[in-house]
Amino acid sequence: MRQFLTRLWQFLLNNSTLILFVAVFVIFGLSSPRTVIGDTGLEFPRFWLPENILNIIKQAAVFAGIIGVGMTFVLLTAGIDLSVGSNMYLSVVCAGLLMRSSGLDIVPAMIVSLLVGMLFGAFNAFCIVRLKIIPFMTTLATLVIGRGLGTALTESQQIDFPERMNAFGQTQVLGFIPMPIVFFAAVVIAAWFVLTRTQFGRQVYAVGNDIEAAKKAGINTDRTLAMVYIISGLCAGLAGFILASQLGGRVDRSFGETREFDAIAAAVLGGTSLFGGVGNVFGTVVGALLIQMVGTGLQFNLVNLYLQPMARAFVIFLAIFFDSLREANIKKLKRRFIRPLHSPVAGSSHAEAGD
């Protein structure tokens, strides 16, 4: 009985995100308002309608998905990037100003946003790898610096992008797939390939598991750490540009604020450990969808606007709580006991390491 309960607990712990995902989907579906389907007279929960599910996926891609994938790379190395929200703001401000002043088209403007995002990430990497400043303090500082730079460039004014930006945001691939979902899928597939099919991906996991062991194995840990912050910056630049297109091409000083918390929550909810070495991008996709589903479900149920951030904070708390339990469980499974070995010949005790 005890063994059964132990296995059940481990199963629940290892699949906590999926269980939470299904529970939230069912609860909000049953509690949401109903709509009558065509002439059938049948009532169906509005929360479960295909168009609402498609909208949840699109919003998840825009608000937490793409930056969550970038954050996954950083968390896998036991790091953190608190500056992605400011990075999104600064990147899209640079692209928007060039679109207005030089008449840049969509593709060149997006490339500008990506380059600014990468440079932002490279600066984080320089401070962390070369100056040896811990990631938390580095990215906390660049969070403030990035937003300050963006505010200075815009003189704290709202930027209105050209109309083609709004048209880009309304693009639907194959006539029915929103553009953000296509970009999100491409980012997820690329990240999955890098992490699971390349030498760099294996090095990311190795650095997160034990950086000293990775150094002894000949891995250039500095380069690996630098690359993950650059990737995170790249994802922030892309996410900022796509989010701006979804907002009708209008960007003000609050653009991207607190998005770093959604990105961290999405990655951790999806099973990526804050302690590094554990996680994958598909888990981050589930985490991003879960966060967006909670937000949409609260709106469907007309929950007080002021209570909704508290609900999101509770989800983030659950993510960190389950991550701590998972980490404790992993340590317990890896625990090694030092026990004395009694030699029948010498009659003396020796130490032996065992599982």
Side-chain angles (χ1 to χ4, degrees):
M1 185 64 182
R2 183 178 179 181
Q3 187 177 12
F4 170 76
L5 292 176
T6 302
R7 289 182 177 178
L8 179 62
W9 170 244
Q10 289 184 353
F11 174 81
L12 293 174
L13 194 60
N14 293 333
N15 298 279
S16 57
T17 301
L18 281 177
I19 295 171
L20 192 61
F21 185 91
V22 174
V24 168
F25 185 75
V26 172
I27 291 172
F28 280 130
L30 294 176
S31 61
S32 68
R34 307 299 176 97
T35 185
V36 178
I37 302 177
D39 299 330
T40 62
L42 297 175
E43 292 187 344
F44 193 77
R46 289 173 54 195
F47 189 78
W48 289 345
L49 290 175
E51 52 264 36
N52 183 55
I53 294 175
L54 194 64
N55 187 55
I56 288 175
I57 298 173
K58 185 179 78 171
Q59 299 295 327
V62 172
F63 290 115
I66 295 175
I67 52 174
V69 171
M71 187 67 72
T72 301
F73 278 84
V74 175
L75 293 180
L76 283 174
T77 62
I80 196 164
D81 188 353
L82 298 177
S83 65
V84 289
S86 295
N87 191 342
M88 291 169 65
Y89 175 56
L90 182 61
S91 300
V92 79
V93 160
C94 294
L97 290 176
L98 285 174
M99 287 181 77
R100 287 175 44 174
S101 62
S102 305
L104 278 185
D105 208 343
I106 291 295
V107 174
M110 182 184 292
I111 293 174
V112 169
S113 184
L114 295 177
L115 289 176
V116 173
M118 289 176 65
L119 288 174
F120 200 112
F123 181 75
N124 282 335
F126 174 77
C127 295
I128 293 167
V129 174
R130 292 298 179 193
L131 303 183
K132 305 298 181 184
I133 304 174
I134 60 174
F136 182 88
M137 294 307 300
T138 295
T139 56
L140 183 62
T142 53
L143 179 153
V144 180
I145 294 171
R147 194 153 296 276
L149 283 174
T151 305
L153 289 172
T154 61
E155 298 179 343
S156 199
Q157 300 293 317
Q158 174 179 293
I159 294 183
D160 293 320
F161 283 69
E163 179 55 31
R164 56 182 178 276
M165 186 68 164
N166 187 36
F168 170 68
Q170 303 304 317
T171 302
Q172 292 197 335
V173 180
L174 302 178
F176 67 97
I177 304 176
M179 173 271 296
I181 296 179
V182 176
F183 275 95
F184 186 34
V187 169
V188 169
I189 292 172
W192 167 81
F193 181 81
V194 170
L195 285 175
T196 62
R197 296 292 186 270
T198 66
Q199 186 181 32
F200 171 71
R202 292 189 289 274
Q203 291 174 349
V204 169
Y205 282 99
V207 170
N209 271 313
D210 190 335
I211 190 169
E212 294 303 324
K215 288 179 181 176
K216 292 176 182 177
I219 295 175
N220 187 338
T221 56
D222 286 349
R223 186 183 63 184
T224 304
L225 289 174
M227 285 299 299
V228 297
Y229 285 95
I230 293 173
I231 291 172
S232 178
L234 177 70
C235 290
L238 177 62
F241 194 82
I242 293 177
L243 178 57
S245 72
Q246 297 300 300
L247 297 177
R250 293 179 177 176
V251 173
D252 59 21
R253 193 180 181 282
S254 64
F255 183 86
E257 278 186 344
T258 72
R259 291 302 160 206
E260 52 274 1
F261 299 113
D262 289 339
I264 295 171
V268 176
L269 266 174
T272 302
S273 174
L274 288 169
F275 304 96
V278 177
N280 61 77
V281 291
F282 291 117
T284 303
V285 174
V286 176
L289 290 174
L290 178 56
I291 292 173
Q292 188 57 45
M293 195 161 56
V294 170
T296 305
L298 292 173
Q299 293 173 5
F300 266 81
N301 287 277
L302 303 177
V303 174
N304 189 308
L305 192 64
Y306 297 105
L307 294 179
Q308 293 184 19
M310 295 175 62
R312 291 173 58 193
F314 180 69
V315 172
I316 294 174
F317 171 80
L318 281 181
I320 297 174
F321 175 68
F322 284 121
D323 179 57
S324 299
L325 291 179
R326 274 194 297 264
E327 180 65 18
N329 192 48
I330 291 172
K331 284 185 177 178
K332 185 178 179 181
L333 293 175
K334 289 182 177 179
R335 186 180 300 165
R336 297 180 183 279
F337 299 95
I338 306 298
R339 59 180 182 271
L341 175 64
H342 297 284
S343 170
V345 177
S348 59
S349 296
H350 301 277
E352 180 188 67
D355 291 334

